[in-house]
Amino acid sequence: MHESLRSFIKTLEKEKDIIEIKAEVDPNLEVPEIHRRVIDEQGPALLFTNVKGSSFPIVTNLFGTRRRVDLVTGPRPEEIVKKAVAALDKILPPKPTALWKERGWILDMAKSGMKKVSKNKAPILERMQKNVNLKELPALTGWQLDGGPFLTQPLVYTEHPITKEHNLGMYRMQIFSENQTGMHWQIHKGGGFHHYEAERLNQDLPVTVFLGGPPALTLSAIAPLPEMLPELIMTSFLMGEKLNLTEVDGHPHNLIAEAEFALCGKVPAGVRKPEGPFGDHYGYYSWVHDFPVFNVENVYHRKDAIFPATVVGKPRQEDYFVGEYLQSLLSPMFPVVMPGVKELWTYAETGFHALAAARVRESYYREAMAHAFRIMGEGQLTLTKFLIVTNADCSLVKFDELLENVLSRFNPAQDLLIINDTSMDTLDYTGRKFNKGSKAIMTGLGEPVRDLPKVYDGEKIPGVAKVKAYCGGCLLVSGEDFIADEELPKVIVKEAQDQLAQWPLVILVDDVDKINDQTSFLWTVFTRFDPAHDIYAEAEIKHNKIQYQGPIVIDSRMKPQYPDELIPRDDIVKLVDQRWNSYFK
């Protein structure tokens, strides 16, 4: 639908869903604070045309509502995916008659691909920096403890050093100098795999970083696609037309002709440099760690280039709405890729990797566990920290409904499995060690075995000051913080068995009063515990199997080793308060 960023901006202008801010703004903290307030109100996209320290305008909040994400592609991609999945049993094995009946969507999909355009038809080549200076870009500093300005919406293109298969991913990039950035390869990302293979060969990895272009590029870069599905093909499919590429002298990659910027260079083998801190989409800072660097050799851009950026932090931010769309788009494919998995959902409120849920087939005893292991071995889902699995007919999106269905069927002796010493998402610090932690699988299968209480009217729980039910069977409690009483969850398990006999799940949080909806519940609970460290219950070992008993207690209080929660700086809040009306004149 949209071959460029500016095509999408024109559509937003027609829809009156973008605002131009002409007042001078600072990309250091001020723009991010404006952005956060607007997205909190489900407001429009923002075009800042008077940016302090840069001649380039900034556009943010392009994907800050589900409606705007839908405007990127329209309904066509979702309709095609549903038709394709529904027709698989008719066209496999291929039969001419069946293929002819399905020719509409098949021919539509066949249009996907790339095409070369001449240099004079490639706006990306209109300008080339004579001397690379990344500090001319209006990169945002989103939070006061950030290590500096970051590219927050870069589209990082790499190719496998041997097979030349490509990957397009999005990894934050801290600007270190005029010609060098960090390259935050995460452990589960395609670019990181390519870099790993290049280092094995002692080779530098050529990299191209695009900013802007068809907005479908951003969706494809974020999408958890199977490794065999190229992101540029996915982009073309979402656009409904071929993606224009152009050649450039002295660089091994073609450039996306309609991009706003292209940064061309290499990630050198064997080089690491401290990167961070950075206020991330989990809602906390990620601290300083060594990551590869990107040495930029050439910068190309349109003559009137627009700099796209986003701001991450506590949910809900733009990644929430993009993730919601991508799951809707790709969910019909899950049963094809993973037979027996009827539906799968990951939760943006938890940073996606911290929590996933699935409805599965249970045609024989504990078949669900086979599907659970399959899910945890599939692509980016390998980093799932907590997986909930059921065969009940319920909504996964409405978490209270899902949890009640699971808890009414939950037998702790067989339905909770904790797996120690596993990988963990790079941005999740609950495992106490970088990239390391544990996982848990919770199942609720068959027919209900209990009625769930929805109001707590029992006796006082030792050490607990506040009690509130989140949903049937799930009780929120709070008392002293972790530093003051590290042993509180053990006390609850040992001394409150009678009071909590009817409550299968008890969650200890810092303050129950701060949890008032699904977003605050999921963010508070699942970003603040590691299964192996922070789940408590009575248990015994039988035949090498740990069998849990009684209520399961999860300690989701903040721990001293966790990174700081993201909170805007007071003086920036006051500045934006004072200037608010001037932004929208």
Side-chain angles (χ1 to χ4, degrees):
M1 287 184 63
H2 297 287
E3 67 177 12
S4 68
L5 172 61
R6 53 204 60 221
S7 165
F8 187 45
I9 289 174
K10 286 181 180 178
T11 295
L12 295 181
E13 288 172 345
K14 291 178 183 177
E15 297 287 327
K16 300 187 185 312
D17 206 8
I18 188 169
I19 289 180
E20 180 181 353
I21 295 179
K22 299 178 181 178
E24 185 183 57
V25 291
D26 194 334
N28 178 33
L29 301 179
E30 184 181 9
V31 168
E33 177 63 14
I34 298 168
H35 169 104
R36 285 190 291 267
R37 296 188 189 194
V38 172
I39 200 170
D40 281 347
E41 297 297 325
Q42 291 283 275
L46 302 170
L47 180 63
F48 300 92
T49 54
N50 186 2
V51 180
K52 183 178 179 180
S54 179
S55 61
F56 299 111
I58 301 173
V59 65
T60 76
N61 202 25
L62 290 169
F63 307 103
T65 64
R66 176 59 190 266
R67 179 177 178 274
R68 284 205 291 280
V69 178
D70 287 337
L71 285 174
V72 172
T73 64
R76 174 189 150 276
E78 289 185 79
E79 292 170 356
I80 290 177
V81 169
K82 290 176 182 177
K83 288 178 182 178
V85 171
L88 282 178
D89 60 334
K90 302 174 186 175
I91 63 175
L92 294 176
K95 298 177 183 177
T97 302
L99 291 172
W100 180 253
K101 289 180 180 179
E102 302 292 335
R103 65 189 182 279
W105 67 264
I106 292 174
L107 291 173
D108 203 344
M109 288 191 72
K111 296 176 184 177
S112 301
M114 286 85 77
K115 67 177 182 180
K116 293 281 188 69
V117 298
S118 61
K119 294 181 179 181
N120 62 356
K121 293 184 178 180
I124 187 59
L125 298 180
E126 289 174 343
R127 296 288 186 273
M128 176 181 173
Q129 283 190 358
K130 293 181 179 179
N131 298 300
V132 172
N133 186 2
L134 301 178
K135 294 186 177 181
E136 293 180 358
L137 302 177
L140 302 185
T141 302
W143 300 93
Q144 57 269 21
L145 297 185
D146 283 1
F150 283 78
L151 305 181
T152 53
Q153 214 168 69
L155 304 164
V156 182
Y157 179 90
T158 58
E159 293 180 356
H160 191 286
I162 298 174
T163 67
K164 301 305 177 184
E165 294 174 345
H166 80 254
N167 178 263
L168 188 75
M170 186 175 292
Y171 324 105
R172 74 189 193 215
M173 298 170 59
Q174 183 177 352
I175 295 178
F176 292 144
S177 68
E178 286 79 3
N179 63 351
Q180 188 182 75
T181 76
M183 184 57 76
H184 193 87
W185 306 124
Q186 293 181 29
I187 57 177
H188 56 295
K189 300 288 188 170
F193 296 147
H194 290 174
H195 184 231
Y196 170 78
E197 294 296 337
E199 285 197 318
R200 288 181 60 203
L201 300 170
N202 197 30
Q203 295 178 3
D204 298 344
L205 182 69
V207 174
T208 308
V209 175
F210 299 103
L211 299 167
L217 278 169
T218 299
L219 304 186
S220 299
I222 296 172
L225 300 177
E227 288 186 37
M228 72 289 296
L229 180 56
E231 283 82 4
L232 295 191
I233 296 294
M234 178 68 172
T235 300
S236 174
F237 166 66
L238 294 176
M239 292 170 58
E241 57 187 283
K242 293 190 183 299
L243 180 66
N244 292 338
L245 303 178
T246 192
E247 293 181 350
V248 61
D249 296 334
H251 189 63
H253 301 158
N254 292 316
L255 302 189
I256 294 167
E258 298 290 340
E260 299 293 316
F261 296 86
L263 283 56
C264 304
K266 294 184 179 70
V267 173
V271 177
R272 300 292 188 274
K273 188 171 182 176
E275 184 261 9
F278 181 72
D280 228 311
H281 73 276
Y282 271 74
Y284 310 91
Y285 287 99
S286 55
W287 294 137
V288 175
H289 300 283
D290 288 345
F291 276 89
V293 301
F294 175 44
N295 294 327
V296 182
E297 298 166 354
N298 291 297
V299 174
Y300 300 90
H301 64 83
R302 287 172 175 259
K303 61 184 178 183
D304 53 353
I306 300 170
F307 182 85
T310 190
V311 178
V312 291
K314 297 176 187 175
R316 303 179 175 180
Q317 302 296 330
E318 286 185 81
D319 61 321
Y320 177 94
F321 302 100
V322 173
E324 186 180 64
Y325 168 79
L326 290 171
Q327 293 194 81
S328 298
L329 174 67
L330 299 174
S331 59
M333 298 172 60
F334 292 140
V336 178
V337 177
M338 296 178 285
V341 178
K342 297 178 180 179
E343 187 180 1
L344 178 68
W345 194 258
T346 62
Y347 294 85
E349 299 97 331
T350 71
F352 294 104
H353 293 311
L355 176 64
R359 289 196 309 110
V360 302
R361 182 182 64 211
E362 173 81 350
S363 58
Y364 57 84
Y365 179 71
R366 307 295 286 171
E367 180 189 2
M369 289 304 296
H371 301 312
F373 290 133
R374 175 63 191 270
I375 291 167
M376 284 193 154
E378 187 69 34
Q380 294 186 34
L381 291 167
T382 58
L383 293 180
T384 300
K385 180 170 71 175
F386 199 92
L387 175 63
I388 299 175
V389 176
T390 186
N391 65 335
D393 185 12
C394 61
S395 170
L396 301 185
V397 177
K398 297 177 180 178
F399 189 77
D400 56 348
E401 179 181 327
L402 164 70
L403 192 56
E404 287 183 355
N405 273 275
V406 170
L407 293 179
S408 67
R409 296 163 168 81
F410 179 63
N411 176 359
Q414 67 180 25
D415 288 335
L416 179 63
L417 174 65
I418 297 175
I419 308 168
N420 289 280
D421 299 322
T422 69
S423 62
M424 183 173 276
D425 185 12
T426 300
L427 306 178
D428 189 337
Y429 285 79
T430 59
R432 277 68 169 179
K433 293 183 179 180
F434 189 52
N435 285 337
K436 298 177 182 178
S438 65
K439 302 182 186 301
I441 299 172
M442 183 182 198
T443 59
L445 306 167
E447 295 300 318
V449 297
R450 67 172 63 83
D451 293 325
L452 299 173
K454 294 194 174 182
V455 176
Y456 183 77
D457 53 9
E459 297 180 5
K460 178 175 172 55
I461 301 169
V464 170
K466 296 179 182 179
V467 178
K468 179 169 69 175
Y470 171 67
C471 65
C474 177
L475 196 65
L476 297 168
V477 300
S478 58
E480 297 282 1
D481 64 26
F482 183 87
I483 295 175
D485 191 356
E486 183 177 347
E487 302 298 313
L488 180 54
K490 294 180 182 179
V491 172
I492 293 172
V493 168
K494 184 177 180 180
E495 300 183 17
Q497 289 289 315
D498 291 340
Q499 298 95 311
L500 300 173
Q502 304 302 313
W503 295 88
L505 182 62
V506 178
I507 301 174
L508 176 59
V509 297
D510 288 303
D511 187 354
V512 300
D513 293 336
K514 291 184 178 180
I515 298 178
N516 46 46
D517 57 14
Q518 176 168 307
T519 296
S520 56
F521 174 81
L522 292 177
W523 180 70
T524 301
V525 171
F526 288 92
T527 64
R528 296 184 182 181
F529 82 89
D530 172 58
H533 280 95
D534 300 313
I535 292 180
Y536 297 81
E538 295 283 0
E540 59 180 346
I541 298 176
K542 287 188 177 180
H543 304 294
N544 294 315
K545 174 177 170 51
I546 301 176
Q547 295 185 339
Y548 302 99
Q549 302 166 2
I552 303 299
V553 178
I554 298 177
D555 185 359
S556 288
R557 295 175 295 175
M558 285 291 286
K559 317 298 191 301
Q561 67 272 20
Y562 289 1
D564 294 343
E565 180 182 334
L566 297 178
I567 299 173
R569 204 170 73 192
D570 287 344
D571 62 318
I572 298 300
V573 172
K574 291 178 182 177
L575 172 68
V576 173
D577 283 343
Q578 294 167 358
R579 298 197 63 197
W580 190 253
N581 291 334
S582 69
Y583 298 137
F584 302 103
K585 284 184 178 179

